[in-house]
Amino acid sequence: MQKSSFYRRQSRGNVLFIILIAVVLFAALAAAVTSSQRGGGTMDRERGLISASDYMGYASNMEKTVARMLSQDMSENQLSFQNANWTFNDTNPVETAAMFPNCTTETCKVFSPAGGGLDAKTFADNMPDTPQANDIKSGHAGVFSMKVTGVGTTAHDLVLMIAVLDKNTCMQINSQMKITNPSDAPPADSWAGATLYGGGFTGPNNATDEIGDIATQIAGKSAGCITRSGGPYGSLDNWFYQVLLPR
């Protein structure tokens, strides 16, 4: 009888020990999951910051290149952004030679070694499954004659626009530029009337070719990221802009 009682006590002790081990392991697993979730958010933020720096660094370099070219007795109407890299979704080029009749030598071409010496860089493709043929391809760009509220005068500015960024990168760009992202999303605005720059600064000269009048968060900001209001891709329709020449 004494042995039986001893074994029962020993068995109960083993069960309690196993339960204790299980509780400790469960607590450790829960802590690991929580840490992983927090780490995932941190990693997303870091990836967004790296990507944002890539966009902003390239655009800033282009802004400086344009300023340098204009300082060499070149008119703002002579600049050419001709290149074969940036295309619409239908594969047609965004910036063609015919668009820049005022540029007659290599020295006025931003993407020529004899001119600005830049590459027409493309970025990550984030285009939705149903791209619009006449839209600039995701990660590609165009240079527009349009207005940015609070930048320069009320004249049209020279503005680089890069199409369809991922939301995380877009919001990190705004964070770097001290632009508020309302309701955890980029500010929204429209520029349906803006035209590609072609050696002249033209456009309807109204709200349809201006940004910052609706998305007041970007007013006075020379660079940032906005969602295209009324665009075909909804919340995925995020565009980076950089004023290359305020006017």
Side-chain angles (χ1 to χ4, degrees), residues 25-35:
L25 289 175
F26 180 79
L29 178 61
V33 169
T34 301
S35 176

Side-chain angles (χ1 to χ4, degrees), residues 104-129:
T104 57
T105 66
E106 292 295 310
T107 57
C108 49
K109 295 180 179 180
V110 174
F111 301 119
S112 169
L118 290 183
D119 292 324
K121 183 174 179 176
T122 60
F123 295 83
D125 185 351
N126 296 287
M127 187 61 71
D129 294 334

Side-chain angles (χ1 to χ4, degrees), residues 69-70 74-83 96-112 114-116 197-200:
M69 294 175 70
L70 293 178
M74 185 179 299
S75 165
E76 61 189 28
N77 301 107
Q78 289 179 286
L79 291 169
S80 169
F81 294 89
Q82 174 196 352
N83 73 86
T96 65
M99 293 171 59
F100 307 102
N102 300 329
C103 179
T104 57
T105 66
E106 292 295 310
T107 57
C108 49
K109 295 180 179 180
V110 174
F111 301 119
S112 169
Y197 163 83

Side-chain angles (χ1 to χ4, degrees), residues 169-183:
T169 298
C170 188
M171 293 178 65
Q172 290 300 333
I173 288 171
N174 288 341
S175 294
Q176 295 301 303
M177 292 299 298
K178 309 300 183 186
I179 295 171
T180 302
N181 292 304
S183 303

Side-chain angles (χ1 to χ4, degrees), residues 32-60:
V33 169
T34 301
S35 176
S36 175
Q37 290 173 339
R38 290 175 179 170
T42 301
M43 287 178 64
D44 285 344
R45 181 176 180 276
E46 289 176 352
R47 281 194 292 265
L49 282 171
I50 292 170
S51 180
S53 298
D54 196 18
Y55 282 87
M56 295 173 71
Y58 176 73
S60 177

Side-chain angles (χ1 to χ4, degrees), residues 1-12:
M1 292 293 291
Q2 289 180 350
K3 283 186 177 181
S4 176
S5 175
F6 170 77
Y7 288 133
R8 282 197 298 272
R9 287 196 301 272
Q10 188 178 42
S11 177
R12 285 196 296 271

Side-chain angles (χ1 to χ4, degrees), residues 96-207:
T96 65
M99 293 171 59
F100 307 102
N102 300 329
C103 179
T104 57
T105 66
E106 292 295 310
T107 57
C108 49
K109 295 180 179 180
V110 174
F111 301 119
S112 169
L118 290 183
D119 292 324
K121 183 174 179 176
T122 60
F123 295 83
D125 185 351
N126 296 287
M127 187 61 71
D129 294 334
T130 55
Q132 302 295 301
N134 61 348
D135 247 352
I136 295 175
K137 184 176 173 64
S138 174
H140 293 221
V143 178
F144 288 79
S145 167
M146 60 191 296
K147 295 184 289 183
V148 180
T149 302
V151 176
T153 66
T154 56
H156 288 81
D157 304 307
L158 188 67
V159 183
L160 171 72
M161 299 285 285
I162 303 177
V164 194
L165 289 66
D166 68 274
K167 179 183 175 182
N168 185 23
T169 298
C170 188
M171 293 178 65
Q172 290 300 333
I173 288 171
N174 288 341
S175 294
Q176 295 301 303
M177 292 299 298
K178 309 300 183 186
I179 295 171
T180 302
N181 292 304
S183 303
D184 197 34
D189 212 324
S190 61
W191 57 95
T195 58
L196 287 165
Y197 163 83
F201 294 88
T202 59
N205 201 32
N206 57 33

